[in-house]
Amino acid sequence: MPLSEQEQRLLDEMERHLMHNDADVVTAPRDGRSLSYRNIVYGTILVLLGLGGLLVGVSVPLIVVGVIGFIVMLAGVVLAVTPSRNPLKAVPSDSARPARAPSPRSSFMDRMNDRWDRRQER
């Protein structure tokens, strides 16, 4: 079943907004923060050690060992997924980024994105 003219225009507009918003996400600065392979490896080792401690705590009736193993596992996951700040990369300042003024013909989604950006800057 072919799309009506209005549905086709709506689909085209949605595609344009999606491409525009995806381009914003891809080029958005991450403040020099990225996942570190070192943190992922150390976090994985901690998760495995914590899992071993949890299994020992369950198999031997020592609840304290199981709780400590769970805490070590949790710390390993947090370490693995926490982005680290790379001091070698320059951090762009907020003043260097040009502020976008909403145009009178901007769409609803553009206005909502601008409001979200302003809220994140506060």
Side-chain angles (χ1 to χ4, degrees), residues 42-84:
Y42 288 156
T44 304
I45 291 171
L46 279 177
V47 167
L48 292 175
L49 288 175
L51 182 62
L54 183 65
L55 290 175
V56 167
V58 169
S59 63
V60 178
L62 292 173
I63 296 174
V64 175
V65 175
V67 170
I68 291 172
F70 178 76
I71 292 171
V72 170
M73 281 177 49
L74 185 63
V77 169
V78 170
L79 178 65
V81 300
T82 302
S84 63

Side-chain angles (χ1 to χ4, degrees), residues 3 12-13 34-35 38 43 63 77-78 86 103 109 112 120:
L3 296 175
D12 290 339
E13 182 181 346
S34 63
L35 291 179
R38 179 181 53 95
I63 296 174
V77 169
V78 170
N86 188 352
S103 66
M109 289 303 294
M112 294 305 289
Q120 293 297 326

